[in-house]
Each structure stands twice: as C-alpha cells, then as structure tokens.
Amino acid sequence: MTKSPHQRASTDDVRIETKAWIDGAAVPALSGRTFVTLNPATGEPLATIAACDQADVDRAVKAARRAFDDGAWSRCEPGERKEALLRLAALLREHGEELALLESLDSGKTIRDCRNEVANEVPHFFQWYAETIDKSFGRVAPTGPRAVSMIVQEPIGVVGLIVPWNFPLLMAAWKLAPALATGCSVVLKPAEQSSLTALRLGELAAQAGIPTGVLNVVPGLGEEAGQAIGRHGDIDMVSFTGSGEVGAYLLGYAAQTNMKPVGLELGGKSPFLVLEDAELTDDLVESAVMAAFWNGGQNCSANMRQIVHRRHYDAFAERIVERAKALVVGDPLDPATDIGAMITDEHRDRVAGFLRSGVDDGARILHGGTAIDDNPGFFLQPTVFDGLKPGMTIAREEIFGPVLGMMVVDSDEEALRIAVDTEYGLHASVFTRDINQALRFARALPVGTVSVNSFSEGSIATPFGGYRRSGSLTRDNGLEALAQYQQTKTIWIGLGTTA
Ligand code: NAP
Ligand code: MG
C-alpha cells in the first residue's frame, strides 16, 4: 500500500455541490431526502446528496420540455449553439484539475486517470461535438422534375441520460455532448456512488450561456430517479450505459409507457488473443496488463479472457505475473498509483467471490487473490489466473474487477472458437504479425470494436458500442453518436404537374 499526504489535504481543494440542478438552479429534492456518497479510498462519507425521485424528475422534464419547445436552443442559429458548447468546453478545461480531484475522491479512480479523462477528454468531447454543429448538412433525395425532396435531421426532443460509476463524468460527456449538439434538452442521472462531478455541470452550463432548462442533473437512486426517467411519458428517448440487468428494465419501462427508444451500452467479456505468429513484445505485455487492470478492471471493455497460443503461453504468463507484481495499488491521489480503490466494499466482495469461484472451478492463482485489509478503503490486489477454461464462471460472467485469466490454445482456430463463445460482443484485441490473419479475425469477431496489435477503444472519432448483449444498435462517440438524439424527416415538395 502506498500512502500519500495528498489524501489528507484533498477535500479542501474542491467545491462540492450536493443539490440537483433543475431549471437553472441548484435545488434540494422536493421530498427533502438525501443519500450519502463515500470516498472509496477511505470508506468515509464524502457528501450528502439530494435524493431525487419521480417528483423531481417530473420538474426537470417540464423545464426541459419548455426549453425545447421555446426553441432558444433546439432551433437557434447553429453558430450560437456551437459557441455556447465551446464556452462550456473552455470552462471545463479551466476547472479540469479541480474536477479531476473531485472525481478521484468520489470514485476511487486514480488521479492520473482522472486528469486524463476529466481534465482532458471531457472538455475535448464538448469541443469536438460543438464543432460538428455548423458543418452538419441534410440531403436532397433523387426525384423527377415534379418534386424536390429534402431529408433533414431534427433533435428528438427531451432525452434522459443514465450513466454508471466507472467513468462518471466521461460517460456523462459521451452522451451529453452529442445530445446537446443536436439541440436536445436533457435530464441526466449520474450513478449514486459518483454524482459529484456531474453536479457541477449545471452551473458551468449556465455560465457558458446554455439556456435555462436545457441541461438538468437529477442525482438519486436507480430505482427512484432512474426508473422515473425510464417511465416518463414526456421523455422522448433514453440513452443508458450500465449493466444488462438495468438495460432490460429500461426496455420494459419503455414498453409499458410511451415506447421511447432506448440506447444501450452494456457489459462485456472481451477476449485478448495472442495468435501463433505474434511477437511477444513489451508493448504486447503492457497492452495485456492494461486490458485487464486499467481502472481496476472496472471497465466494460476489459479484456479479462486472455487466450494465448501454446507457443507463447509460458513466456507470456511469466511476463504478465512480473508486470502485475509491479502495479502499485493504493492512494488514488498519488500520481504513482496504478490501481485505486474499488467503488464500494460490496463490489470488492463481489469480485472476491469470483476469485473464490475461479479457484473452486480449478483455475490457479499466480498472483494476487486477496483484498487489502490493512486499509479502511476498498482495495483489491490485481489477480492473475492460470488455467482458465471456457466453461468456468469466471470465463463467462463479467467480473468488473482487476482480474486477468489466461487460457492456453493449440491453434488460432481454437482461439477464435473460444473468443466468440460468449453472449457479449463489445470489444476484442488481436495480436498477430500477419495482416491477413488480422483482417480475418477483425471480420470474424462479432464485436463493436476490434483492436489489432493494441488494446484500444478507439478515439472520439470512432463509434463505440456492442454487438449481441453488449448493447443496442446505437453508438456512442464518432459522428454516429449524433443519430441517437435525432429523428429523420422527409420534406416532399410537389412542383406541380407542369414543371
Ligand atoms: P448499473 O447498476 O446498471 O447502473 C447504471 C445506472 O443505472 C446508474 O445510474 C444506476 O443508478 C441506474 N439504475 C439502477 N437501477 C435502475 C433502474 N431500475 N432504473 C433506471 N436506472 C437504474 O451499472 P453500474 O454498476 O453502475 O456500472 C457497471 C456496468 O456498466 C457494467 O456492466 C459495465 O460493463 C457497464 N458499462 C458499459 C459501458 C459501455 O459503454 N458499454 C461503459 C461503462 C460501463 P444507481 O447508481 O443508483 O444504481
Ligand atoms: Mg462516492
């Protein structure tokens, strides 16, 4: 365990907002109820936050609808919307260090990752989508001389955004930036464990000149605030990132109410493939370690299933264990830390349960396997399993913790068979020196993103989402993300029979 003086000084350096942001003001929940968010690195309460429920969501939706209908955002000059989102990007950049610190305190994520995600990527997202606004054109359809037909995209209206705790502000930005860019009004519900950075957004949006009511943030519990969004008859679509279980609830809520479309980004059980002709470089080993342990494995596209050709297996295993031993687990505020705290003690215990199940099923722990008990925070060692087999629970279920499982195969064909034997389809990494093999695997894997000779989810410019049970047809990121928040309209203009 590392300890650092940062941890003691930290809360003085951030401003903590605990109220909801509805209709241009910071407000308590109508019921007056609150809930507590913890600092996962200490186990101590960090703040007491407004617990919004249906009544608050209703207020937020009314404000969002009014703002959408008055057109000040939804139908303004494209350049005006662009300038406001660029100002928001600039404000987020200005407050980047403080928001990164707040994120680290609230979620247990390392300050190094928070600086990158919150201070760097989040402002970039708002800037990138802002810049699309005055460069998006409609189309003119082929017609005969008697008609002109325009195909235009229009903002869908009031959207509900529900996000998880593993990348709190980043997941919010993935959805907010394109939704706002299209002209939609939004009601955002952050995860209850990590609402604090999202709660700062309302005020920054107001400072940036985004009209009142366009952006609302309702913290609260999933079954209350989240369900109220899912069931609301005046929300036009919901975009969700989180577990398959809650994704299924949201489909049910929509079916039982106004049949709103639901965009889903769900879990995964992604493979990391080392094919026969791969070269076992430092870069490959580093990619494998990051694929499993980055963000403490609390990552939907974590490559926990590492499927390695027998030719490389022993050397691979040795180098993975050596690298895993060098990972620094501890104080998230220390820039040298590689793995911070797990989000909650329940989640840490759940991951520990998977470790026991792996051992019971016959896999062998080469490193890790234990919680860190000399600290009140929720820490877990990175664990490396040898002898992973396709039927084991740890090879089939999403663990969402710092666990890497290694599986040996005798051919590339066997590797592919095992890789696709899952209900998920979010991501895969393939290492090979043969371009034909790389392309064959990239085409054959039923997943939303394939990384070749790297572990990467792509960039802001590339769409991200899942095949199979990892998601719906919608995509976050790239120009594709805009489509979630838009509807397509045909305008058919008859020119008369004499034209
Ligand atoms: P989760 O339990 O599904 O929660 C996600 C969000 O849904 C939270 O805001 C949660 O609120 C809310 N929620 C819970 N119950 C709800 C209900 N009945 N109705 C409406 N909303 C409800 O997921 P998580 O544990 O936070 O996140 C981990 C999951 O997210 C993993 O499965 C991971 O793979 C997935 N994920 C996917 C992607 C992707 O892009 N594909 C990215 C990141 C994470 P509370 O906080 O109050 O529970
Ligand atoms: Mg917290």
Side-chain angles (χ1 to χ4, degrees), residues 36-40 44 46-47 49 102-108 165 191-196 343-344 378:
V36 172
T37 190
L38 304 179
N39 176 346
E44 299 285 321
L46 186 60
I49 296 173
L102 188 57
E103 189 91 303
S104 181
L105 288 170
D106 199 12
S107 68
W165 46 258
E192 69 190 70
Q193 301 87 350
S194 60
S195 317
L196 293 179
I343 188 73
T344 57
F378 315 137

Side-chain angles (χ1 to χ4, degrees), residues 14 36 58 64 68 85 104 111 116 119 128 144 197 205 225 252 296 391 424 446 483:
V14 291
V36 172
D58 210 36
F68 187 77
L85 284 183
S104 181
I111 190 68
N116 182 42
W128 199 87
T197 45
Y424 292 110

Side-chain angles (χ1 to χ4, degrees), residues 171-243:
M171 290 299 105
W174 277 22
K175 296 185 188 297
L176 272 174
L180 292 173
T182 61
C184 287
S185 295
V186 305
V187 178
L188 167 70
K189 191 203 98 62
E192 69 190 70
Q193 301 87 350
S194 60
S195 317
L196 293 179
T197 45
L199 291 174
R200 295 291 306 281
L201 279 177
E203 192 190 11
L204 295 175
Q207 269 179 44
I210 294 174
T212 301
V214 168
L215 170 60
N216 303 276
V217 186
V218 288
L221 309 188
E223 281 122 60
E224 296 179 357
Q227 177 163 195
I229 289 173
R231 290 190 179 280
H232 206 290
D234 202 28
I235 290 184
D236 298 300
M237 76 86 62
V238 167
S239 183
F240 169 77
T241 294
S243 62

Side-chain angles (χ1 to χ4, degrees), residues 299-465:
N299 174 18
C300 56
S301 49
N303 292 179
M304 181 275 175
R305 291 190 297 145
Q306 305 213 342
I307 305 167
V308 181
H309 194 279
R310 191 173 298 282
R311 188 170 159 240
H312 303 293
Y313 191 82
D314 291 344
F316 179 82
E318 193 180 317
R319 292 183 66 181
I320 291 291
V321 170
E322 184 190 8
R323 186 67 189 87
K325 281 184 180 158
L327 291 172
V328 179
V329 184
D331 180 1
L333 296 178
D334 185 337
T337 297
D338 297 305
I339 299 180
M342 299 282 99
I343 188 73
T344 57
D345 52 352
E346 293 88 0
H347 183 59
R348 181 186 54 184
D349 293 348
R350 189 175 162 273
V351 176
F354 277 112
L355 301 182
R356 283 191 295 277
S357 135
V359 172
D360 291 348
D361 283 350
R364 201 160 60 93
I365 290 180
L366 297 186
H367 174 68
T370 47
I372 296 172
D373 293 329
D374 67 342
N375 189 296
F378 315 137
F379 294 95
L380 196 58
Q381 290 284 4
T383 294
V384 179
F385 273 110
D386 173 37
L388 192 69
K389 294 270 172 4
M392 292 177 179
T393 301
I394 58 166
R396 305 207 74 79
E397 291 185 20
E398 184 178 46
I399 298 177
F400 228 58
V403 184
L404 186 160
M406 298 181 300
M407 202 182 279
V408 65
V409 289
D410 288 304
S411 69
D412 290 354
E413 291 318 309
E414 187 186 357
L416 183 59
R417 262 198 318 277
I418 292 171
V420 304
D421 179 21
T422 167
E423 59 186 10
Y424 292 110
L426 193 56
H427 183 268
S429 303
V430 185
F431 282 75
T432 172
R433 283 183 289 182
D434 178 347
I435 183 72
N436 293 333
Q437 199 66 331
L439 287 172
R440 201 167 72 78
F441 272 69
R443 290 300 194 144
L445 289 160
V447 302
T449 300
V450 178
S451 321
V452 176
N453 294 333
S454 64
F455 167 67
S456 170
E457 294 168 354
S459 74
I460 188 170
T462 57
F464 183 79

